[in-house]
Amino acid sequence: MYEVTVERGFSSGHYLRNYKGKCENPHGHNYKVRITLRGEELDAAGLLLDFKDLKQVMRPVIDRLDHQMLNDLDPFTEINPSAENLARYFYDETNKQLAEMTGGRVRVKDCTIYETDTTTATYYE
């Protein structure tokens, strides 16, 4: 099994519904997202997926969230924009694009969202 990992950053605002504490108020984070891909077969160039291609796959998801109030964007109008839910969102959206790009040869292994340098949430299946 092969794995490749890329990290990217974005900044967004959010607030947590049904939460008692400071995070129920609008605030922002300089997030970092780390996505690790997995696959059993390399391509003709000996790569699981070129790092630039993984960055390209992540770009539309990041561009949609960067400098936005997450609570105003689907699916976060319905679910809380917690780090856990953001990790699942990136996992699902990235997997959709990878399926089209690689025909299922490459999948997301896991996705970690850093809300701060010391606090993370990870989603995997």
Side-chain angles (χ1 to χ4, degrees):
M1 190 66 70
Y2 299 95
E3 295 181 2
V4 295
T5 302
V6 168
E7 293 180 1
R8 301 294 304 257
F10 66 100
S11 299
S12 296
H14 76 149
Y15 56 90
L16 298 179
R17 296 177 290 271
N18 302 313
Y19 182 87
K20 300 297 180 212
K22 291 182 179 181
C23 292
E24 68 185 321
N25 298 314
H27 63 283
H29 294 285
N30 292 318
Y31 292 98
K32 180 169 59 171
V33 56
R34 174 186 287 169
I35 295 181
T36 299
L37 306 183
R38 68 175 180 216
E40 294 182 9
E41 299 175 24
L42 301 180
D43 65 13
L47 304 173
L48 182 62
L49 190 74
D50 193 314
F51 292 123
K52 74 173 175 56
D53 291 335
L54 176 51
K55 290 176 184 177
Q56 178 182 340
V57 166
M58 294 169 69
R59 181 171 295 125
V61 185
I62 289 174
D63 286 350
R64 182 168 185 266
L65 303 180
D66 191 35
H67 286 81
Q68 299 295 318
M69 176 56 81
L70 298 177
N71 298 72
D72 296 338
L73 304 174
D74 286 329
F76 305 111
T77 56
E78 299 292 325
I79 63 171
N80 252 343
S82 63
E84 293 88 343
N85 283 331
L86 279 168
R88 171 95 189 247
Y89 178 76
F90 269 95
Y91 181 98
D92 290 343
E93 293 299 311
T94 303
N95 253 337
K96 286 178 197 173
Q97 293 184 63
L98 285 171
E100 293 175 16
M101 179 183 282
T102 70
R105 183 180 62 82
V106 179
R107 292 196 38 85
V108 176
K109 176 186 176 197
D110 59 46
C111 177
T112 299
I113 296 290
Y114 289 74
E115 260 194 6
T116 70
D117 290 339
T118 60
T119 57
T120 67
T122 300
Y123 182 82
Y124 63 94
E125 294 179 357

